[in-house]
Amino acid sequence: MTRRAYPSDVDDETYHFLLPYLALSPEHAPQRKYPLR
């Protein structure tokens, strides 16, 4: 079964570029409920 693409989907290259910025969060932030990807 394949997943239908969303307009907000990004390719692997873009994701790896953005990951350091997405991972920035304050220490007191609650744990993520869903994975970044």
Side-chain angles (χ1 to χ4, degrees):
M1 185 171 132
T2 58
R3 184 178 71 80
R4 199 174 95 193
Y6 289 93
S8 60
D9 284 354
V10 296
D11 59 19
D12 288 336
E13 183 179 350
T14 305
Y15 175 73
H16 289 292
F17 174 78
L18 294 173
L19 186 58
Y21 302 102
L22 296 172
L24 293 175
S25 62
E27 289 184 21
H28 62 277
Q31 294 296 313
R32 288 186 177 89
K33 191 172 185 179
Y34 303 102
L36 287 174
R37 189 71 190 242

